[in-house]
Amino acid sequence: MTRISLSHPAIAAAFLAATLATPAGAQGGPATPTTIGFITTLSTPAGYIGEDIRDGFQLALKDGTLGGVPVKLEIEDDSLKPANAKQAADRMVQSGIKLFTGVNFSNVLAAVVPGVLEAGGFYVSLNPGPSVFAGEKCNRNYFVASYQNDAFHEAAGLSANRLGYQRVVLLAPAYQAGRDALEGFKRTFKGEIIGEIYTKLDQTDFSVELARVRSLQPHAIYQFHPGGAGINFAKQYANSGLSKSVPMLIPSFSMDARMIGATGEAADGIYASAVWTTELDNPASKAFVEAFRKAYSRTPTMYAQQAYDTANLIGSALKAVNGDIGKQAEFRDALRRAQFTAVRGKFSLGPNQHPIQDYYLTKFAKNASGEIVQTIIRKVAEDYGDAYAARCKID
């Protein structure tokens, strides 16, 4: 595993402020910073996702604090390997860290969460929300601030219904989030699934899968491939000519702001389910987008937005306990209350401590300046939870 150097000026300044902040004990606050174990993917082709997650989280730190509480991040690169992530988490647990976040893939999360919870720690997920932890295996110290995996794809199924698709082919990588994706879509889609194709998580060539799509002649496809795989899929789909006759519907994380730069015109016209885009019209979102662009000279992805919201959720709970997460019941209750202003708009936590929020049908299209942006077409689900909440019994 690799220890990360915080070399970006904005990140380094925030980190330095966190570690050198004047102890708040003199003002009635915690004497030492609260350390958060931050394990994420910063290498491999998916590393840009971890970068946006890290940068979005760091942006929420104000003078090295969250909720007025001094915070120190201990950052590790998991290299998209569950074993690396587990080793990092175990080491952090042994060093006394009790609060964790950062993981951006469901298979990695599955390796980290059990050990953290068994040690009496807290995990607050800022991206994956696998079904395995949303129902019977929910835990009072496990929170998800992004979405439950299936719910995002259930919203895509509702979007497909709105778009009038009748015959659809589904594609996703064969791992937990991929299976959740297709199950979620099938749960709400009213048409016919004429093909269900699983790919490899690190796949780069989709020629065989595209040939099969062509032979099935669907009205549309729904595909979930994040990061580098999503870039390759979109480019190959456009180059195959299929995009001219078979529209593509995706979850937002299969075409984010940074992927647009890599795919170019291939992104134009793709539909997506979303809880947030840079075009969302509310003050918190506009301020976040402006601040992120100013700090990092690029447009934030939904990963950055989720990390920023997660940081502020954690900050609201740290404030409530004055940084003392040893007050577990009070810290837990403060997380459940979610008393912060979410960039995405309405936000609350359901009985399984996963989000209840609005979902939108969006389209990637050129704006007045000729830039491809993710425009919002309509809301498809309001105050929407997930299919597993009823199975969760938290004492």
Side-chain angles (χ1 to χ4, degrees), residues 203-232:
Q203 189 163 326
T204 57
D205 181 4
F206 297 94
S207 56
V208 173
E209 289 78 10
L210 296 184
R212 186 177 173 194
V213 169
R214 192 185 300 278
S215 69
L216 290 169
Q217 299 182 331
H219 292 158
I221 67 165
Y222 179 66
Q223 67 92 3
F224 160 60
H225 291 90
I231 292 170
N232 289 328

Side-chain angles (χ1 to χ4, degrees), residues 145-158:
S146 50
Y147 49 82
Q148 193 281 314
N149 284 357
D150 298 32
F152 219 106
H153 308 287
E154 288 167 16
L158 295 173

Side-chain angles (χ1 to χ4, degrees), residues 287-299:
F288 163 72
V289 172
E290 181 181 357
F292 192 94
R293 284 173 172 162
K294 182 178 179 180
Y296 306 112
S297 301
R298 67 178 189 269
T299 297

Side-chain angles (χ1 to χ4, degrees), residues 335-354:
L335 284 171
R336 288 171 179 164
R337 290 194 297 271
Q339 293 181 335
F340 73 104
T341 301
V343 167
R344 75 197 76 173
K346 288 193 297 182
F347 178 92
S348 62
L349 292 172
N352 60 350
Q353 299 174 167
H354 286 61

Side-chain angles (χ1 to χ4, degrees), residues 37-39 74-76 88-97 100:
F38 199 95
I39 302 167
E74 184 163 336
I75 300 176
E76 291 279 1
D90 289 347
R91 178 185 59 75
M92 291 179 185
V93 165
Q94 290 170 7
S95 72
I97 296 175
F100 291 79

